[in-house]
Amino acid sequence: MDIFSLSSSSTLVHYSNTFSTSSLAGKHHPATTTTTIISTPSFMVASKSSQDYNSPYNPNTASTSLRRPASNKPLKTSTSHSSQAPQNPLKQFVTPQTTTPSNDTLSNKLWLSSKLSPPPPPPPSPFPPFQEENEIIDDDGEGFESSEKQMEFREKGKIFVGNLPHWIKKTEVAEFFRQFGPIKNVIIIKGHDDVERNMGFGFVMYDGHTAEKAAMKAVEFDGVEFHGRVLTVKLDNGRRMKGKSSERSRWVEGHKEDGEEGYRSKWHEEREGSRGEFRKVLDSQPENWQAVVRAFERIKKPSRKEFGLMVNYYARRGDMHRARETFEKMRARGIEPTLHVYTNLIHAYAVGRDMEEALSCVRKMRDEGIELSLVTYSILVGGFAKTGNVEASDLWFKEAKERLTALNAIIYGNIIYAYCQTCNMDRAEALVREMEEEGIDAPIDIYHTMMDGYTMIQNEDKCLMVFDRLKECGFTPSIVTYGCLINLYTKMRKVSKALEVSDMMKRAGIKHNMKTYSMLINGFISLKDWANAFSIFEDVIKDGLKPDVILYNNIIRAFCGMGNMERAIRTVEEMKKERRRPSSRTFMPIIHSLARAGEMRRALDVFDMMRRSGCIPTVHTYNALILGLVEKRQMEKAVRILDEMLVGGISPNEHTYTTIMNGYASLGDTGKAFEYFSKVKNDGLELDVYTYEALLKACCKSGRMQSALAVTKEMKAQNIPRNTFIYNILIDGWARRGDVWEAADLMQQMRQEGVQPDIHTYTSFINACCKAGDMLRAMKTIKEMEAVGVKPNVKTYTTLIHGWSRASLPEKALKCFEAMKKAGLKADKAVYHCLMTSLLSRATVAEDYIYTGILQLCEEMVECGLTVDMGTAVHWSKCLRKIERTGGGITEALQKTFPPDWNSHNTLNAISDISDRDDRLDENDYDDSPFHNGDTDGEDDANFDERFKF
């Protein structure tokens, strides 16, 4: 109430009542009347201005010779006026124009009020502002109206600084003017085109209760030299803001000065036109990023809104680097980011899966006092969910619950997705229940997320339950809904049910898209049903869909799986004709299949074709080459590929070294395996269970079981638990040495740790029993297997047959053979080799069942088309010489299984030095065929050596 202290309360009341009556009599709009009454306190302040003005300019405290700019009117803005201002401050600048009061109403009343509260006598002549005060109260009162608005834009403690160097920065200006008082802000007006240079003027705003006094002191230094320039320092009169506000008000109301509609300045027209074009391109051509960028660059001076839209555009594309670049450009122009802009930048990092940078943005927001919104929390929860960091997702979700009053379905959907991706469906179900208890309706996306989670754990019942509940809640199943069911059945290898879902889709009028077709093709490929896979591909063509890169890659996988490499390569050419650019994944199955088949020349040709297609070889491409060579046990060539990787600047990963280690492990070269294990550790790569598996294979293959125990201790130190495969390798290692007690101890440890033995575990333990001659324990293990529901396979029966043969009990071996056939298992070469060798070794004993067994085995081998290699034929013929020296029925039957060129050889004299093969199964893994003569792919050795010669 201090602003009314110069006049009595009765005078003010009388003035207000009189003005209101006159306004109503003159039929002014009520808004006009209210606006004028609100401006009355400002007038009362104007009448006091002379006293306020004299106090800081007392001749005792300031020099009377100091020149003052004519525009510096010492007017104060009423606090009551600001508190009573309408919500749209632009309206008060338009109203006087629409209903201009006549001279008999507004002007005369203002003139009367000036007489009731006359200003004090003017100060001496050196102060020109008092002459302007007299100019205010001229004939029609227009000068006072101008002064009144000038007061509205006048800020306490704000000064105008002109003639600044164009290169000057805010810090230098703030450092100079800080000597007069604390500074609130410094504004340097920058150019429209070159933001690095200013326009040569700016404003300084002082802070605190001494702001006005500090501004007055700063004005005394008008004309001071500053970096080679003579500064102009004035009190800000609000002229610039008044002009901009007046122009903006006319623009908002849609009036020009001449009465025409649609008023806009030329600069605003150009700027608004480019802004509108930018938004139009952003909405109509979001995929054409070049057009969007060009439209943005045409905006001469983008505002915070345009910068925010551009950051959001890059965020949706996952281009976090350009989003950050746009963000920094905005800050370089002096535009401070808001919560919306920060959220868009965090979204860009979340889409790009760089959550460390997203968290740095969050820290910056909090440093600037900007609180996170629900959208920001949702982005953080979803970003960590996509990176598989469910702990971080849950942490941000809990913080959102603590700080926000209410959550929505989006943030619940993100945290549910995080737990579904980690297969923690119990927690996901609890979150769905919690969401429903909060009164939040689950959208259809959450139903799809839950169905996808149950698909990952292959829980068919609950997935179908969610599907039925979706329909009960009134949702119409979409292509995504049916796609979840198709994905479930293809992963469970129930492709027939997936086809039923496909028929259900067609009946509902929903057509397949590329994803559903790809799922069906993958399902048939997993079953190695190549015909149906190609049939689905034909359906894609019939539906008029153009296959994408993923679908082409699946078809190439199918051709490679069936061994038709020519069609696979032709499919790559078809991709190029359809302008589908092949990726490195396109060539990987071709390269791997050719390398695995030992056709290294063709594999390298495809490797070169991949490079010519513009695909840069990745570590996975090289791994495919190395894996194919390792499976053929061509370790020297595999190491040369590894050297080429290093020359090409591609760093091997854990899988590369693990594959090399597996190759040396299969050869029993423990030294080389440990050498590459050390490289994994030295390169800082992650040591996982697969790496230790390869190392243990090398130790067990070479019989170094103490080294294997040391490896298991290191695994325990690295907190890597032993799984079934690790135990299988260890038990198989002890079985090779015939140490049944150590193998039995490992079986006991498995049960204690809750690791379930599988068929390979039992087979390895049975092998240990057979090596130790403990056939009773071996048969007891067979019964134990059947009790827990593990059925013996061909390898298990082969191990038993070999055990009984070593125990010189061929009749028991024959019984195992008959039991295997009753179980519906088909004998392989290893079974026939083992059983025939056992019977031939006991054929000198004249027993009928042995002769009968030999003849029966020969007949079955002929029916199956099995032919032994030359070494096995020589060994069996030596046994025949002891049974039938001059030939007979057994000799005639057995020779039918010999190689076709057996009779052309000089029989035993040519190859009589071939060693006995009774223990062949002991010397090889059960995966190796006893009839295998070794690798004979040396036709490409010269070509390979030439290609990889360093």
Side-chain angles (χ1 to χ4, degrees), residues 283-541:
D283 294 337
S284 61
Q285 305 179 46
E287 70 286 348
N288 190 351
W289 68 270
Q290 294 176 336
V292 174
V293 171
R294 284 196 299 267
F296 176 75
E297 291 176 348
R298 280 195 291 267
I299 304 175
K300 292 184 178 179
K301 192 175 182 181
S303 64
R304 182 186 288 111
K305 183 177 182 180
E306 280 75 46
F307 277 113
L309 288 173
M310 201 63 197
V311 173
N312 186 35
Y313 174 73
Y314 284 129
R316 293 197 306 268
R317 292 175 59 88
D319 195 343
M320 55 186 178
H321 301 295
R322 286 192 173 90
R324 185 72 188 200
E325 180 184 2
T326 306
F327 179 83
E328 295 300 336
K329 284 181 179 179
M330 182 189 71
R331 301 200 74 164
R333 287 177 177 264
I335 303 175
E336 293 300 325
T338 60
L339 170 64
H340 178 71
V341 180
Y342 266 121
T343 301
N344 285 334
L345 184 60
I346 293 171
H347 183 213
Y349 284 119
V351 174
R353 304 197 177 190
D354 190 349
M355 298 310 297
E356 291 297 327
E357 287 296 329
L359 292 179
S360 69
C361 292
V362 172
R363 290 190 291 268
K364 187 65 175 175
M365 286 176 62
R366 289 177 169 171
D367 292 342
E368 296 179 5
I370 302 175
E371 293 295 331
L372 276 68
S373 67
L374 179 58
V375 177
T376 315
Y377 279 115
S378 298
I379 291 171
L380 289 171
V381 172
F384 281 112
K386 290 178 181 178
T387 58
N389 192 346
V390 67
E391 293 82 7
S393 290
D394 191 63
L395 183 66
W396 286 102
F397 177 74
K398 290 178 179 177
E399 182 176 324
K401 289 179 63 177
E402 294 173 358
R403 298 198 176 191
L404 302 177
T405 56
L407 303 181
N408 60 10
I410 297 176
I411 191 170
Y412 269 108
N414 288 335
I415 189 63
I416 291 170
Y417 172 79
Y419 281 105
C420 287
Q421 291 301 302
T422 56
C423 300
N424 189 351
M425 298 307 297
D426 293 336
R427 176 60 180 159
E429 291 171 1
L431 286 167
V432 173
R433 192 178 306 111
E434 176 185 323
M435 182 183 66
E436 293 174 347
E437 291 172 356
E438 293 290 334
I440 302 172
D441 294 332
I444 193 171
D445 292 338
I446 291 184
Y447 287 92
H448 294 160
T449 302
M450 295 297 292
M451 291 178 68
D452 186 60
Y454 289 126
T455 298
M456 295 178 69
I457 63 174
Q458 297 187 8
N459 191 332
E460 181 182 358
D461 295 334
K462 286 197 172 182
C463 188
L464 292 175
M465 190 185 303
V466 174
F467 177 72
D468 294 336
R469 183 60 180 164
L470 179 146
K471 293 188 291 185
E472 291 173 2
C473 291
F475 292 108
T476 302
S478 64
I479 183 67
V480 179
T481 314
Y482 290 111
C484 291
L485 289 178
I486 292 174
N487 191 29
L488 168 70
Y489 288 124
T490 53
K491 286 192 173 182
M492 297 179 67
R493 296 193 174 188
K494 297 180 178 180
V495 186
S496 58
K497 288 192 174 183
L499 292 176
E500 292 178 6
V501 176
S502 176
D503 294 336
M504 193 188 308
M505 284 176 56
K506 293 178 181 179
R507 289 194 298 269
I510 300 175
K511 293 184 178 180
H512 281 281
N513 59 13
M514 297 305 301
K515 289 186 178 180
T516 54
Y517 274 129
S518 296
M519 291 175 188
L520 290 173
I521 291 175
N522 279 331
F524 285 117
I525 290 176
S526 64
L527 297 177
K528 296 184 179 181
D529 189 348
W530 318 117
N532 280 316
F534 295 132
S535 176
I536 298 295
F537 183 73
E538 292 175 358
D539 291 341
V540 175
I541 305 300

Side-chain angles (χ1 to χ4, degrees), residues 624-751:
L625 274 175
I626 292 173
L627 181 61
L629 292 169
V630 165
E631 289 178 351
K632 300 298 289 184
R633 298 187 180 183
Q634 299 179 5
M635 297 308 301
E636 292 183 2
K637 296 179 181 181
V639 171
R640 291 180 187 176
I641 296 291
L642 181 62
D643 294 337
E644 187 190 3
M645 287 180 63
L646 298 173
V647 171
I650 299 176
S651 300
N653 58 11
E654 300 91 342
H655 182 67
T656 312
Y657 287 121
T658 303
T659 304
I660 296 289
M661 290 171 63
N662 275 319
Y664 283 116
S666 63
L667 298 176
D669 194 338
T670 311
K672 286 290 185 180
F674 272 97
E675 177 184 340
Y676 283 95
F677 178 77
S678 301
K679 288 184 179 181
V680 175
K681 298 178 70 174
N682 295 336
D683 291 351
L685 300 175
E686 182 182 359
L687 293 171
D688 54 10
V689 66
Y690 303 105
T691 311
Y692 284 104
E693 280 183 17
L695 197 59
L696 284 173
K697 284 180 184 178
C699 295
C700 296
K701 183 82 173 182
S702 60
R704 297 176 57 177
M705 298 308 299
Q706 297 303 321
S707 299
L709 293 176
V711 172
T712 56
K713 289 181 180 178
E714 185 175 346
M715 286 181 63
K716 187 176 182 180
Q718 296 289 338
N719 294 323
I720 299 177
R722 290 184 287 186
N723 55 18
T724 305
F725 299 103
I726 295 293
Y727 277 110
N728 290 346
I729 294 169
L730 292 172
I731 292 173
D732 190 62
W734 289 115
R736 289 173 182 273
R737 299 180 60 172
D739 196 333
V740 68
W741 300 108
E742 288 289 350
D745 185 57
L746 286 171
M747 293 283 290
Q748 187 66 26
Q749 290 181 30
M750 287 184 72
R751 296 186 182 96

Side-chain angles (χ1 to χ4, degrees), residues 835-846:
L835 190 57
M836 182 67 74
T837 304
S838 175
L839 292 175
L840 289 175
S841 64
R842 299 287 296 174
T844 54
V845 180

Side-chain angles (χ1 to χ4, degrees), residues 153 238-250:
F153 294 105
R239 180 180 301 172
R240 178 174 174 271
M241 291 301 296
K242 180 186 69 175
K244 290 184 65 176
S245 298
S246 177
E247 184 178 346
R248 188 180 296 114
S249 66
R250 291 194 300 273

